[in-house]
Amino acid sequence: MTPLVATTTSLRVKDARRVVFFTGAGMSAAAGIPTFRGKGGIWKEYDYGSYACQQAFNRDPEKVWEFHNYRRGLVEPCQPTQGHRLIARCEAAQPSTVVVTQNIDGLHQVAGNAKVRELHGGLWRVRCDVCGAKHTGRESPFVELRCPRHEDLPEWKRPYWRPDIVWFGDALNRSVIEASVEAISRCDMLISIGTSAVVYPAAELPLIAKRNKALLVEINPEETPMSNAFDVCLRGTADAMLEMLCEGLE
Ligand code: OAD
């Protein structure tokens, strides 16, 4: 079925019982965080093979950390947008609401959402793949690059903290994907916002909602390779389209 492509709709989130917001980088564009692709996209400037994969980290962890600290610095001063706040209001009004996000910026949580499934990890978390230690904190820049639990080793031999981010070639975290699939399979409205829908397996997750005959809405100023799978495509920005969809929420 061809989707309805529009800039306005009478659909309202308040009329759904279980809503999943499925978000990508366009969700945070108005907060000042660059997207990955398109004009000004991060991957236009940085080759991900040198900065965002396990091989690059194994080769030169400090270079990867430099890039990671650049991203921490970009995101740290950014505040949730009106769109983030509306999604948080939706969860407050309808506690069954779940956010499944490809974003690592943590802005949904700052806005007040409790049920956020971070498919691609989190910018503010690090882990030690040698001893399993984890650390969460908004240090920017992050300077203690080596895990402190390995005091028995000389400094130069201690393992580096690794950003807890899903890099290119990494598998998604199993429990996160399970929780995401569960929420998506049970929803009756899925609203995909600001994703180019080219990174798998995330891109195809919205299709799971179709099995339950949920209504699929895409918000993106541009068409994406997945647009045809949606029932309604709203061609506008995240903030403007959410303002309309969330009208009438308590
Ligand atoms: P992309 O940068 O690929 O796509 C951003 C999308 O947002 C584009 O389709 C834009 O048209 C749209 N967009 C831009 N401004 C918008 C706005 N104000 N409102 C709504 N939409 C807007 O970002 P993602 O699809 O999130 O993965 O990228 C997916 C994954 O690729 C990321 O999670 C990241 C990246 O490599 C990892 O780092 C593992």
Side-chain angles (χ1 to χ4, degrees):
M1 205 184 76
T2 325
L4 171 70
V5 181
T7 52
T8 59
T9 177
S10 57
L11 288 171
R12 294 295 176 262
V13 161
K14 69 175 171 54
D15 299 325
R17 280 182 309 116
R18 290 177 173 276
V19 184
V20 166
F21 292 94
F22 180 79
T23 63
M27 178 75 224
S28 297
I33 302 173
T35 58
F36 293 96
R37 299 169 184 81
K39 199 166 162 272
I42 288 180
W43 301 142
K44 286 239 146 81
E45 205 178 325
Y46 291 90
D47 161 33
Y48 62 77
S50 304
Y51 297 101
C53 65
Q54 188 64 45
Q55 292 89 325
F57 188 69
N58 296 344
R59 227 173 19 241
D60 192 345
E62 302 221 353
K63 181 174 171 181
V64 169
W65 261 110
E66 226 172 90
F67 172 64
H68 196 67
N69 271 329
Y70 157 71
R71 294 185 70 192
R72 281 188 171 225
L74 271 180
V75 175
E76 208 276 328
C78 296
Q79 296 298 317
T81 62
Q82 173 65 357
H84 289 102
R85 286 193 291 271
L86 286 166
I87 292 175
R89 201 190 302 162
C90 184
E91 188 185 312
Q94 297 168 200
S96 56
T97 303
V98 176
V99 176
V100 177
T101 189
Q102 296 168 82
N103 298 343
I104 58 172
D105 55 38
L107 287 184
H108 287 298
Q109 294 91 324
V110 177
N113 281 97
K115 284 194 225 142
V116 183
R117 314 295 175 228
E118 293 181 306
L119 289 171
H120 292 163
L123 185 60
W124 309 112
R125 296 196 304 268
V126 296
R127 63 175 203 247
C128 174
D129 279 346
V130 174
C131 70
K134 290 181 194 300
H135 170 80
T136 302
R138 290 177 71 97
E139 303 94 329
S140 179
F142 189 82
V143 286
E144 297 298 331
L145 298 186
R146 292 173 187 269
C147 176
R149 284 208 194 167
H150 305 269
E151 279 163 353
D152 49 320
L153 295 174
E155 166 71 18
W156 63 274
K157 269 193 163 178
R158 288 182 199 159
Y160 282 86
W161 285 114
R162 183 217 195 270
D164 196 11
I165 289 178
V166 176
W167 283 329
F168 287 88
D170 289 352
L172 299 190
N173 177 292
R174 201 190 172 113
S175 62
V176 175
I177 190 101
E178 280 173 5
S180 304
V181 167
E182 206 226 323
I184 293 172
S185 359
R186 298 179 70 202
C187 73
D188 59 349
M189 185 186 272
L190 180 138
I191 305 173
S192 166
I193 307 168
T195 175
S196 59
V198 294
V199 173
Y200 284 78
E204 62 192 358
L205 288 183
L207 300 180
I208 295 169
K210 278 207 145 178
R211 293 185 211 146
N212 195 28
K213 302 199 172 19
L215 186 79
L216 267 63
V217 181
E218 177 183 67
I219 297 178
N220 198 313
E222 291 173 21
E223 189 177 350
T224 75
M226 293 298 278
S227 291
N228 276 337
F230 284 78
D231 300 297
V232 178
C233 294
L234 294 172
R235 294 280 167 253
T237 64
D239 286 3
M241 297 298 108
L242 282 167
E243 194 81 60
M244 175 170 62
L245 287 174
C246 294
E247 206 178 68
L249 271 182
E250 288 301 305

